[in-house]
Amino acid sequence: MKKQSEQPISTVADLLLHAYTIEREASDRYLLLGDQMSAHNNPVIADLFYRLATIEGRHADEIKSRMQGMAIPERKPWTFQWLTPESPEAADITEAHYLMKPYHALKLALMGEEQAHRFFSAVAEHSRDPELRRLAEEFAGEELSHIEMVEKLLAEHPEPGPDWDYDADPPAVVD
Ligand code: ZN
């Protein structure tokens, strides 16, 4: 079996496959976080995640239509060229806290968007094919606009005080 490093992204079709996977997983993850937040009575954050899920989902659909008619390479999940264990844009769900404030949710989102940006930038930097580089730069640019969007929202939702997770009525723990 070939090692990951022996299968770098070298075609536009392969980059589209990676990009599609990134956006799809990011969207699914945001949806899941949204559901979690609404289950925990945090509708503001839930809406925020649903909005992000819609944006990433739309992006995934766009990429899918670009892949139409192309010979898309087959990759086993473990051969994707991620820089991180999971696909780069999937917000880290282990960080989600049921009392988290918009600030924390946005920080999670920012991390995902920054990782996606780093991923596409790295592909652009390492590719010799001009068309591949152009496309990777385009995707990196889109992630940059997501980063700016999240940063704008972060400016409206500053870091809460240190007792943000104080719960006067915590969920019952059964031992
Ligand atoms: Zn994004």
Side-chain angles (χ1 to χ4, degrees), residues 59-127:
H59 201 180
D61 292 343
E62 275 166 32
I63 293 168
K64 183 134 218 182
S65 63
R66 282 210 219 184
M67 288 160 75
Q68 219 66 220
M70 286 178 102
I72 303 300
E74 262 188 65
R75 275 199 187 263
K76 301 274 183 245
W78 59 88
T79 70
F80 277 83
Q81 297 295 299
W82 309 135
L83 309 169
T84 46
E86 287 188 87
S87 84
E89 202 170 358
D92 186 356
I93 207 151
T94 58
E95 295 282 328
H97 186 288
Y98 79 104
L99 284 175
M100 82 179 160
K101 303 280 186 252
Y103 170 82
H104 304 103
L106 288 165
K107 275 287 189 188
L108 272 183
L110 188 63
M111 245 166 55
E113 302 296 344
E114 281 173 344
Q115 275 173 17
H117 177 255
R118 265 199 300 279
F119 170 77
F120 289 123
S121 302
V123 174
E125 200 183 311
H126 293 117
S127 86

Coordinates of all heavy atoms in Angstrom, one line a residue, residues 59-127:
H59 N -21.6 25.7 -0.8 CA -20.3 25.6 -1.4 C -20.0 24.2 -1.9 O -19.5 24.0 -3.0 CB -19.2 26.1 -0.4 CG -17.9 26.5 -1.0 ND1 -16.9 26.9 -0.2 CD2 -17.5 26.5 -2.2 CE1 -15.9 27.2 -1.0 NE2 -16.2 27.0 -2.3
A60 N -20.4 23.3 -1.1 CA -20.2 21.8 -1.4 C -20.9 21.5 -2.7 O -20.4 20.9 -3.6 CB -20.6 20.9 -0.3
D61 N -22.2 22.1 -2.8 CA -23.0 21.8 -4.0 C -22.3 22.4 -5.3 O -22.4 21.8 -6.3 CB -24.4 22.4 -3.8 CG -25.2 21.6 -2.8 OD1 -24.8 20.5 -2.4 OD2 -26.2 22.2 -2.3
E62 N -21.8 23.6 -5.1 CA -21.1 24.3 -6.2 C -20.0 23.4 -6.7 O -19.7 23.2 -7.9 CB -20.5 25.6 -5.8 CG -21.5 26.8 -5.8 CD -21.0 28.0 -5.1 OE1 -19.8 28.2 -5.0 OE2 -21.8 28.7 -4.5
I63 N -19.2 22.9 -5.8 CA -18.0 22.1 -6.1 C -18.5 20.8 -6.8 O -17.9 20.4 -7.8 CB -17.2 21.8 -4.9 CG1 -16.5 23.1 -4.4 CG2 -16.1 20.8 -5.2 CD1 -15.9 23.0 -3.0
K64 N -19.6 20.2 -6.3 CA -20.1 19.0 -6.9 C -20.5 19.2 -8.3 O -20.2 18.4 -9.2 CB -21.3 18.5 -6.1 CG -21.9 17.2 -6.6 CD -22.2 16.3 -5.5 CE -21.8 14.9 -5.9 NZ -22.2 13.9 -4.9
S65 N -21.1 20.4 -8.6 CA -21.5 20.6 -10.0 C -20.2 20.8 -10.9 O -20.2 20.5 -12.1 CB -22.5 21.8 -10.1 OG -21.9 23.0 -9.7
R66 N -19.2 21.4 -10.3 CA -17.9 21.5 -11.1 C -17.3 20.2 -11.4 O -16.6 20.0 -12.4 CB -16.9 22.3 -10.3 CG -17.1 23.8 -10.2 CD -15.8 24.5 -10.1 NE -15.8 25.6 -9.2 CZ -14.8 26.4 -9.0 NH1 -13.7 26.2 -9.5 NH2 -15.0 27.4 -8.2
M67 N -17.6 19.2 -10.5 CA -17.0 17.9 -10.7 C -17.7 17.1 -11.8 O -17.2 16.0 -12.2 CB -17.0 17.1 -9.4 CG -16.0 17.6 -8.4 SD -16.5 17.1 -6.7 CE -16.0 15.4 -6.7
Q68 N -18.9 17.6 -12.1 CA -19.8 16.9 -13.1 C -19.0 16.6 -14.4 O -18.3 17.4 -14.9 CB -20.9 17.8 -13.4 CG -22.3 17.1 -13.6 CD -22.8 16.5 -12.3 OE1 -23.3 15.4 -12.4 NE2 -22.7 17.1 -11.2
G69 N -19.0 15.3 -14.8 CA -18.3 14.9 -16.0 C -16.8 14.8 -16.0 O -16.2 14.5 -17.0
M70 N -16.3 15.0 -14.8 CA -14.8 14.9 -14.6 C -14.5 13.5 -14.1 O -15.3 12.9 -13.4 CB -14.2 15.9 -13.6 CG -14.2 17.3 -14.1 SD -13.5 18.3 -12.8 CE -11.9 18.5 -13.3
A71 N -13.3 13.0 -14.5 CA -12.9 11.7 -13.9 C -12.3 12.0 -12.5 O -11.2 12.5 -12.4 CB -11.8 11.0 -14.8
I72 N -13.1 11.6 -11.5 CA -12.7 11.9 -10.1 C -11.9 10.7 -9.6 O -12.4 9.6 -9.7 CB -13.9 12.2 -9.2 CG1 -14.7 13.4 -9.8 CG2 -13.5 12.5 -7.8 CD1 -14.0 14.7 -9.9
P73 N -10.7 10.9 -9.1 CA -10.0 9.8 -8.6 C -10.6 9.2 -7.4 O -11.4 9.8 -6.7 CB -8.6 10.4 -8.1 CG -8.9 11.9 -7.9 CD -10.1 12.2 -8.9
E74 N -10.4 7.9 -7.1 CA -10.9 7.3 -5.9 C -9.9 7.4 -4.8 O -8.7 7.0 -5.1 CB -11.2 5.8 -6.2 CG -12.7 5.6 -6.6 CD -13.0 4.1 -6.7 OE1 -12.9 3.4 -5.6 OE2 -13.3 3.7 -7.8
R75 N -10.3 7.8 -3.7 CA -9.4 7.8 -2.6 C -10.0 7.1 -1.4 O -11.2 7.4 -1.1 CB -9.0 9.2 -2.2 CG -7.9 9.9 -2.9 CD -7.4 11.1 -2.2 NE -6.4 11.8 -3.0 CZ -5.1 11.6 -2.8 NH1 -4.6 10.7 -2.0 NH2 -4.2 12.4 -3.5
K76 N -9.3 6.3 -0.7 CA -9.8 5.7 0.5 C -9.7 6.8 1.6 O -8.8 7.7 1.5 CB -8.9 4.6 1.0 CG -8.8 3.4 -0.1 CD -10.0 2.5 0.1 CE -9.9 1.3 -0.9 NZ -11.0 1.3 -1.8
P77 N -10.6 6.8 2.5 CA -10.6 7.9 3.5 C -9.2 8.3 4.1 O -8.9 9.4 4.3 CB -11.6 7.4 4.6 CG -12.5 6.5 3.9 CD -11.7 5.8 2.8
W78 N -8.4 7.3 4.4 CA -7.2 7.5 5.0 C -6.1 8.0 4.1 O -5.0 8.3 4.5 CB -6.7 6.3 5.8 CG -6.5 5.1 4.8 CD1 -5.3 4.8 4.1 CD2 -7.4 4.1 4.5 NE1 -5.6 3.6 3.4 CE2 -6.8 3.2 3.6 CE3 -8.8 3.8 4.9 CZ2 -7.5 2.1 3.1 CZ3 -9.4 2.7 4.4 CH2 -8.8 1.9 3.5
T79 N -6.4 8.1 2.8 CA -5.4 8.6 1.9 C -5.6 10.1 1.5 O -4.9 10.6 0.7 CB -5.3 7.8 0.5 OG1 -6.5 8.0 -0.2 CG2 -5.2 6.3 0.8
F80 N -6.6 10.7 2.1 CA -6.8 12.1 1.9 C -5.6 12.9 2.4 O -5.1 12.5 3.5 CB -8.1 12.6 2.5 CG -9.3 12.4 1.6 CD1 -10.0 11.1 1.6 CD2 -9.8 13.3 0.8 CE1 -11.1 10.9 0.8 CE2 -10.9 13.1 -0.1 CZ -11.5 11.9 0.0
Q81 N -5.3 13.9 1.7 CA -4.0 14.6 2.1 C -4.3 15.7 3.1 O -3.9 16.9 2.9 CB -3.4 15.2 0.8 CG -3.0 14.2 -0.2 CD -1.9 13.3 0.3 OE1 -0.8 13.8 0.6 NE2 -2.2 12.0 0.5
W82 N -4.9 15.4 4.2 CA -5.2 16.4 5.3 C -3.9 16.7 6.0 O -3.0 15.8 6.2 CB -6.2 15.9 6.3 CG -7.5 15.4 5.7 CD1 -8.2 14.3 6.1 CD2 -8.3 16.0 4.6 NE1 -9.3 14.2 5.3 CE2 -9.4 15.2 4.4 CE3 -8.1 17.2 3.9 CZ2 -10.4 15.5 3.5 CZ3 -9.1 17.5 2.9 CH2 -10.2 16.6 2.7
L83 N -3.8 17.9 6.6 CA -2.7 18.2 7.5 C -3.1 17.9 8.9 O -2.3 17.9 9.8 CB -2.4 19.7 7.4 CG -2.2 20.3 5.9 CD1 -2.2 21.8 6.0 CD2 -1.0 19.8 5.3
T84 N -4.4 17.6 9.1 CA -4.9 17.4 10.4 C -5.6 16.0 10.4 O -5.9 15.5 9.4 CB -6.0 18.4 10.8 OG1 -6.8 18.6 9.6 CG2 -5.3 19.8 11.1
P85 N -5.9 15.4 11.6 CA -6.5 14.1 11.7 C -7.8 14.0 11.0 O -8.1 13.0 10.3 CB -6.6 13.8 13.2 CG -6.0 14.9 13.9 CD -5.6 15.9 12.9
E86 N -8.7 15.0 11.2 CA -10.0 15.0 10.5 C -9.9 16.0 9.3 O -8.9 16.6 9.1 CB -11.1 15.5 11.4 CG -11.4 14.5 12.5 CD -12.6 15.0 13.3 OE1 -13.8 14.7 12.9 OE2 -12.4 15.7 14.3
S87 N -10.9 16.0 8.5 CA -10.9 17.0 7.4 C -10.8 18.4 8.1 O -11.3 18.6 9.1 CB -12.1 16.9 6.5 OG -13.2 17.6 7.0
P88 N -10.0 19.3 7.4 CA -9.5 20.5 8.1 C -10.6 21.5 8.6 O -10.4 22.2 9.5 CB -8.6 21.2 7.1 CG -8.9 20.5 5.8 CD -9.4 19.1 6.1
E89 N -11.8 21.4 7.9 CA -12.7 22.5 8.3 C -13.8 22.0 9.3 O -14.6 22.8 9.8 CB -13.4 23.0 7.0 CG -14.0 24.4 7.3 CD -14.5 25.1 6.0 OE1 -14.3 24.5 4.9 OE2 -15.0 26.2 6.1
A90 N -13.8 20.7 9.6 CA -14.8 20.3 10.6 C -14.5 20.8 11.9 O -13.5 20.5 12.5 CB -14.8 18.7 10.6
A91 N -15.4 21.6 12.5 CA -15.2 22.2 13.8 C -15.0 21.1 14.8 O -15.7 20.1 14.8 CB -16.4 23.1 14.2
D92 N -14.1 21.3 15.7 CA -13.8 20.2 16.7 C -15.0 20.1 17.7 O -15.2 20.9 18.6 CB -12.5 20.6 17.5 CG -12.1 19.5 18.4 OD1 -12.9 18.5 18.5 OD2 -11.0 19.6 19.0
I93 N -15.8 19.0 17.6 CA -17.0 18.9 18.3 C -16.7 18.6 19.8 O -17.5 18.9 20.7 CB -17.8 17.7 17.7 CG1 -19.3 17.9 18.0 CG2 -17.3 16.4 18.2 CD1 -20.2 17.4 17.0
T94 N -15.5 18.1 20.1 CA -15.2 17.8 21.5 C -15.1 19.2 22.3 O -15.1 19.2 23.5 CB -13.9 17.1 21.7 OG1 -12.8 17.8 21.1 CG2 -13.9 15.7 21.0
E95 N -15.0 20.3 21.6 CA -14.9 21.6 22.2 C -16.2 22.2 22.6 O -16.3 23.1 23.3 CB -14.1 22.6 21.3 CG -12.7 22.2 21.0 CD -11.8 22.6 22.1 OE1 -12.1 23.6 22.8 OE2 -10.8 21.8 22.3
A96 N -17.3 21.6 22.0 CA -18.6 22.2 22.2 C -19.1 22.0 23.7 O -19.0 20.9 24.2 CB -19.6 21.6 21.3
H97 N -19.6 23.0 24.3 CA -20.0 23.0 25.6 C -21.5 23.4 25.6 O -21.8 24.4 24.9 CB -19.2 23.9 26.5 CG -19.5 23.9 27.9 ND1 -20.6 24.4 28.4 CD2 -18.8 23.4 29.0 CE1 -20.6 24.3 29.8 NE2 -19.5 23.7 30.1
Y98 N -22.3 22.8 26.4 CA -23.8 23.1 26.3 C -24.1 24.6 26.7 O -25.1 25.1 26.3 CB -24.6 22.1 27.0 CG -24.7 22.3 28.5 CD1 -25.8 22.9 29.1 CD2 -23.6 22.0 29.3 CE1 -25.9 23.1 30.5 CE2 -23.7 22.1 30.7 CZ -24.8 22.7 31.2 OH -24.8 22.9 32.6
L99 N -23.2 25.2 27.4 CA -23.5 26.6 27.8 C -22.7 27.6 27.0 O -22.6 28.7 27.3 CB -23.1 26.8 29.3 CG -24.1 26.2 30.3 CD1 -23.5 26.4 31.7 CD2 -25.4 26.9 30.3
M100 N -22.0 27.1 26.0 CA -21.1 28.0 25.3 C -21.8 29.2 24.7 O -22.9 29.1 24.2 CB -20.2 27.3 24.3 CG -20.7 27.0 23.0 SD -19.4 26.2 22.1 CE -20.4 25.4 20.8
K101 N -21.1 30.3 24.7 CA -21.6 31.5 24.2 C -21.2 31.7 22.8 O -20.3 31.0 22.3 CB -21.0 32.7 25.1 CG -21.3 32.6 26.5 CD -22.7 33.1 26.9 CE -22.9 33.1 28.4 NZ -23.8 32.0 28.8
P102 N -21.8 32.7 22.1 CA -21.5 32.9 20.7 C -20.0 33.0 20.5 O -19.4 32.5 19.5 CB -22.2 34.2 20.4 CG -23.3 34.3 21.3 CD -22.9 33.6 22.5
Y103 N -19.3 33.6 21.4 CA -17.9 33.8 21.3 C -17.2 32.4 21.1 O -16.3 32.3 20.3 CB -17.3 34.5 22.6 CG -15.8 34.5 22.7 CD1 -15.0 35.4 22.0 CD2 -15.1 33.5 23.5 CE1 -13.7 35.4 22.1 CE2 -13.8 33.5 23.5 CZ -13.0 34.4 22.8 OH -11.7 34.4 22.9
H104 N -17.5 31.5 22.0 CA -16.9 30.1 21.9 C -17.2 29.4 20.6 O -16.4 28.8 20.0 CB -17.3 29.3 23.1 CG -17.0 29.9 24.4 ND1 -18.0 30.5 25.1 CD2 -15.8 30.2 25.1 CE1 -17.4 31.1 26.2 NE2 -16.1 30.9 26.2
A105 N -18.5 29.5 20.2 CA -18.9 28.9 19.0 C -18.2 29.5 17.8 O -17.7 28.7 16.9 CB -20.4 29.1 18.8
L106 N -18.0 30.8 17.8 CA -17.3 31.5 16.7 C -15.8 31.1 16.7 O -15.2 31.0 15.6 CB -17.5 33.0 16.8 CG -19.0 33.4 16.5 CD1 -19.2 34.8 16.9 CD2 -19.2 33.3 15.0
K107 N -15.3 31.0 17.9 CA -13.8 30.6 18.0 C -13.6 29.2 17.3 O -12.7 29.0 16.6 CB -13.4 30.5 19.4 CG -12.9 31.9 19.9 CD -11.6 32.3 19.3 CE -11.0 33.5 20.0 NZ -9.8 34.0 19.3
L108 N -14.6 28.3 17.6 CA -14.5 27.0 17.0 C -14.6 27.1 15.5 O -13.8 26.4 14.7 CB -15.7 26.1 17.4 CG -15.6 25.3 18.7 CD1 -16.9 24.5 18.9 CD2 -14.4 24.4 18.6
A109 N -15.6 27.9 15.0 CA -15.8 28.1 13.6 C -14.5 28.7 13.0 O -14.0 28.2 11.9 CB -17.0 29.0 13.3
L110 N -13.9 29.6 13.6 CA -12.7 30.3 13.1 C -11.6 29.3 13.0 O -10.9 29.3 11.9 CB -12.3 31.4 14.1 CG -11.2 32.3 13.6 CD1 -11.6 33.1 12.3 CD2 -10.8 33.3 14.7
M111 N -11.4 28.4 13.9 CA -10.4 27.4 13.9 C -10.5 26.5 12.6 O -9.6 26.3 11.9 CB -10.4 26.5 15.1 CG -9.2 26.6 16.0 SD -9.6 25.8 17.6 CE -10.1 24.2 17.1
G112 N -11.8 26.1 12.4 CA -12.1 25.3 11.2 C -11.8 26.0 9.9 O -11.1 25.5 9.0
E113 N -12.2 27.3 9.8 CA -12.0 28.0 8.6 C -10.5 28.3 8.4 O -10.0 28.3 7.3 CB -12.8 29.4 8.7 CG -14.3 29.2 8.9 CD -15.0 28.6 7.7 OE1 -14.4 28.4 6.7 OE2 -16.1 28.1 8.0
E114 N -9.8 28.5 9.5 CA -8.3 28.8 9.4 C -7.6 27.5 8.9 O -6.7 27.6 8.1 CB -7.8 29.3 10.7 CG -8.1 30.8 10.9 CD -7.6 31.3 12.3 OE1 -7.4 30.4 13.2 OE2 -7.6 32.5 12.5
Q115 N -8.0 26.4 9.4 CA -7.4 25.1 9.0 C -7.7 24.9 7.5 O -6.8 24.4 6.8 CB -7.9 24.0 9.8 CG -7.1 23.8 11.1 CD -7.8 22.8 12.0 OE1 -8.5 21.9 11.6 NE2 -7.4 22.8 13.3
A116 N -8.9 25.1 7.1 CA -9.2 25.0 5.7 C -8.4 25.9 4.8 O -7.9 25.5 3.8 CB -10.7 25.2 5.4
H117 N -8.2 27.1 5.3 CA -7.4 28.1 4.5 C -6.0 27.6 4.4 O -5.4 27.7 3.4 CB -7.5 29.5 5.2 CG -6.7 30.5 4.6 ND1 -5.5 31.0 5.1 CD2 -6.8 31.2 3.4 CE1 -5.0 31.9 4.3 NE2 -5.7 32.0 3.2
R118 N -5.5 27.1 5.5 CA -4.1 26.7 5.5 C -3.9 25.5 4.6 O -2.9 25.4 3.9 CB -3.6 26.2 6.9 CG -2.9 27.3 7.7 CD -2.1 26.7 8.9 NE -3.0 25.9 9.8 CZ -3.7 26.5 10.8 NH1 -3.6 27.9 10.9 NH2 -4.4 25.8 11.6
F119 N -4.9 24.6 4.6 CA -4.9 23.4 3.7 C -4.8 23.9 2.2 O -3.9 23.4 1.5 CB -6.1 22.6 3.9 CG -6.3 21.5 2.9 CD1 -5.5 20.3 3.0 CD2 -7.2 21.6 1.9 CE1 -5.6 19.3 2.0 CE2 -7.3 20.6 0.9 CZ -6.5 19.4 1.0
F120 N -5.7 24.7 1.8 CA -5.7 25.1 0.4 C -4.5 25.9 0.0 O -3.9 25.8 -1.1 CB -7.0 25.9 0.0 CG -8.2 25.1 0.0 CD1 -9.3 25.4 0.9 CD2 -8.3 24.0 -0.8 CE1 -10.5 24.6 0.8 CE2 -9.5 23.2 -0.8 CZ -10.5 23.5 0.0
S121 N -4.0 26.8 1.0 CA -2.8 27.5 0.7 C -1.6 26.6 0.5 O -0.8 26.9 -0.3 CB -2.5 28.5 1.9 OG -3.6 29.3 2.1
A122 N -1.5 25.5 1.3 CA -0.4 24.6 1.2 C -0.5 23.9 -0.1 O 0.6 23.7 -0.8 CB -0.5 23.6 2.4
V123 N -1.7 23.5 -0.6 CA -1.8 22.9 -1.9 C -1.3 23.9 -3.0 O -0.5 23.5 -3.9 CB -3.2 22.4 -2.2 CG1 -3.3 21.9 -3.6 CG2 -3.6 21.3 -1.2
A124 N -1.8 25.1 -2.9 CA -1.4 26.1 -3.9 C 0.2 26.3 -3.9 O 0.8 26.3 -5.0 CB -2.0 27.5 -3.6
E125 N 0.7 26.3 -2.7 CA 2.2 26.5 -2.6 C 3.0 25.4 -3.2 O 4.0 25.6 -3.8 CB 2.5 26.7 -1.1 CG 3.8 27.4 -0.8 CD 4.0 27.4 0.7 OE1 3.1 27.8 1.4 OE2 5.1 27.1 1.1
H126 N 2.5 24.2 -3.0 CA 3.3 23.0 -3.4 C 3.0 22.5 -4.8 O 3.6 21.5 -5.3 CB 3.1 21.9 -2.4 CG 3.7 22.2 -1.1 ND1 2.9 22.3 0.0 CD2 5.0 22.5 -0.8 CE1 3.7 22.7 1.1 NE2 5.0 22.8 0.6
S127 N 2.0 23.1 -5.5 CA 1.6 22.5 -6.8 C 2.4 23.2 -8.0 O 2.6 24.4 -7.9 CB 0.1 22.6 -7.1 OG -0.2 23.8 -7.6

